[in-house]
Amino acid sequence: MDVFRRGRRSPVGPGLPPLFIPEVAVAGCHGGSGASTVTRLLAPSAHEIPLAQMHVGAVPLVLVCRGNAYGTAMATTAVSGAQHNLRHGWLTRPPVLVVVADSPLPEPPTARARLKLLQDRVAAIVRLPFVPLWRDVDNPLSVTAPRNVVEAVAAMRTALSAPPVTNPGVRA
């Protein structure tokens, strides 16, 4: 994939860990969350699904939100829905939550607080950093990814490839 090639301006590390699963479902917690970009970053295993269809059984689920107050509020609602699906057997493992930065600034306090509350209810929280260059290209994945993006994608792959654990945060 072009986005992970070595480049003069954005050298990447040793590469991405393999994704040993055939399928990943990606759902945006709200419109404009960045779910399509995350789906493309996890290609070819990933496919995007509507949030209302996050009952995917054994297929690992990735929820995507923006790193702002609205995005994390929608993520809270989505994670609650995922917990419901875990209790009823419609999901077999907690989702991975990907938080897409919406600016180069740090996340606001409200967003950080909500994410701290969610950390025990998801398999992992992965922060996808803001990439200024992506704002001025038609296809963000046509440019070399900065090292911090490669590291975030590696963290997503590692979290998705981990064996399922006991459902954290699920109470009978």
Side-chain angles (χ1 to χ4, degrees):
M1 181 184 285
D2 288 342
V3 71
F4 299 117
R5 71 179 181 269
R6 290 190 180 273
R8 238 181 30 251
R9 293 186 332 188
S10 310
V12 296
L16 296 172
L19 190 54
F20 291 119
I21 50 177
E23 189 176 9
V24 176
V26 179
C29 297
H30 54 88
S33 65
S36 295
T37 300
V38 169
T39 301
R40 292 172 62 200
L41 287 169
L42 294 173
S45 296
H47 65 280
E48 198 168 348
I49 63 169
L51 187 59
Q53 295 177 5
M54 68 174 166
H55 46 280
V56 292
V59 174
L61 175 65
V62 175
L63 296 174
V64 184
C65 73
R66 288 283 179 189
N68 55 36
Y70 175 76
T72 55
M74 296 296 100
T76 301
T77 302
V79 169
S80 293
Q83 293 290 302
H84 172 82
N85 288 350
L86 280 165
R87 279 191 299 275
H88 289 84
W90 301 322
L91 278 177
T92 59
R93 62 194 307 168
V96 171
L97 178 61
V98 176
V99 181
V100 179
D102 65 342
S103 83
L105 300 173
E107 293 164 350
T110 303
R112 282 195 312 271
R114 288 179 179 149
L115 292 171
K116 186 170 180 151
L117 292 172
L118 290 176
Q119 68 188 4
D120 293 334
R121 300 174 67 200
V122 296
I125 295 176
V126 177
R127 287 170 167 85
L128 187 63
F130 181 75
V131 182
L133 183 58
W134 285 359
R135 294 172 47 95
D136 195 37
V137 295
D138 293 328
N139 178 6
L141 301 186
S142 68
V143 297
T144 302
R147 182 185 311 264
N148 56 0
V149 171
V150 174
E151 290 168 355
V153 174
M156 277 186 259
R157 287 173 172 253
T158 300
L160 290 166
S161 297
V165 294
T166 312
N167 299 341
V170 175
R171 292 168 182 78

